């Protein structure tokens, strides 16, 4: 949070942009601005975060920028830390409620959890959480972006070729998929 405050003090992002927030998959997206040319993107990903962290820190990572759109990637760390798919759904609802309290006109898009090889044991929980969040997103008028499915290999397992050595974080090929899948949703 201190780094974001320092960056903002040095060069304040424009209001009305597009905030990408959530865990390290967002934080590590170094080509975000190049991947969405002409879109004023603001990267406010912070490593290890869970959905409820994005809700808690919304006053620092989202609201000050008065964005026209927020894209959030969270849920993966939640399941890894022992939260249930039902808790992820509840945390998603709380996030949407929190954002809409201060930014009622901002569009929100939820990026589904990704299938990481290092967390393959979580695939059933991820599928359940993604389905629960997708249903709530539809009910709440939030875009749901499925990046889970395009990141599976032909056998339905996480595609190892999309990840760096830690088998959790993505390489350029993984981010290429994200860019292609997410681009139609960026307003």
């Amino acid at each position: 949070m201190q780094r974001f405050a320092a960056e903002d003090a040095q060069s304040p992002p424009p209001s009305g942009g597009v905030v990408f927030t959530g865990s390290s998959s967002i934080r590590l997206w170094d080509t975000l601005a190049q991947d969405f040319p002409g879109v004023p993107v603001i990267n406010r990903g912070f490593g290890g975060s869970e959905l409820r962290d994005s809700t808690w820190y919304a006053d620092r990572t989202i609201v000050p920028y008065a964005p026209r759109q927020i894209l959030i990637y969270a849920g993966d760390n939640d399941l890894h830390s022992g939260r249930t798919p039902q808790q992820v759904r509840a945390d998603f609802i709380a996030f949407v409620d929190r954002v809409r309290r201060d930014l009622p006109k901002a569009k929100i898009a939820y990026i589904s959890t990704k299938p990481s090889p290092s967390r393959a044991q979580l695939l059933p929980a991820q599928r359940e959480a993604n389905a629960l969040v997708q249903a709530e997103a539809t009910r709440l008028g939030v875009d749901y972006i499925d990046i889970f499915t395009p990141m599976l290999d032909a056998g339905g397992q996480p595609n190892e070729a999309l990840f760096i050595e830690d088998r959790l974080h993505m390489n350029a090929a993984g981010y290429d998929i994200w860019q292609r899948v997410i681009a139609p949703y960026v307003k």
Side-chain angles (χ1 to χ4, degrees):
M1 296 304 125
Q2 291 173 343
R3 180 175 54 87
F4 295 152
E7 288 173 3
D8 291 350
Q10 210 169 37
S11 177
S15 62
V18 177
V19 169
F20 282 74
T21 192
S23 66
S24 58
S25 292
I26 297 296
R27 181 180 62 80
L28 297 171
W29 197 343
D30 295 333
T31 60
L32 189 63
Q34 298 94 297
D35 288 345
F36 299 97
V39 177
V41 298
I42 304 165
N43 186 327
R44 289 298 175 258
F46 49 110
S49 68
E50 298 182 9
L51 255 167
R52 55 194 173 165
D53 297 321
S54 293
T55 303
W56 177 259
Y57 288 111
D59 62 330
R60 295 186 196 178
T61 60
I62 300 169
V63 175
Y65 311 112
R68 65 179 185 242
Q69 184 177 25
I70 300 106
L71 289 96
I72 181 167
Y73 176 78
D76 185 357
N77 290 330
D78 310 55
L79 296 170
H80 180 69
S81 72
R83 294 189 64 76
T84 66
Q86 294 75 19
Q87 288 172 313
V88 170
R89 175 185 57 202
D91 291 343
F92 167 73
I93 294 167
F95 175 80
V96 172
D97 289 346
R98 171 63 187 92
V99 168
R100 286 190 171 156
R101 184 178 81 209
D102 287 333
L103 303 167
K105 294 181 180 182
K107 296 280 294 168
I108 302 170
Y110 178 83
I111 303 166
S112 74
T113 61
K114 70 180 183 318
S116 302
S118 70
R119 294 183 177 173
Q121 76 281 5
L122 294 175
L123 290 178
Q126 285 183 309
R127 285 185 173 98
E128 183 179 354
N130 285 340
L132 291 170
V133 169
Q134 183 175 19
E136 288 301 329
T138 299
R139 184 180 72 80
L140 295 169
V142 170
D143 287 328
Y144 175 87
I145 304 172
D146 175 21
I147 54 90
F148 184 90
T149 305
M151 294 186 74
L152 296 172
D153 65 18
Q157 293 300 306
N159 185 342
E160 294 267 358
L162 303 176
F163 293 86
I164 62 174
E165 300 77 35
D166 70 3
R167 303 174 69 230
L168 175 63
H169 298 100
M170 296 178 295
N171 60 26
Y175 282 110
D176 285 346
I177 289 174
W178 277 40
Q179 189 280 331
R180 284 194 312 272
V181 172
I182 293 169
Y185 294 92
V186 176
K187 311 284 188 232

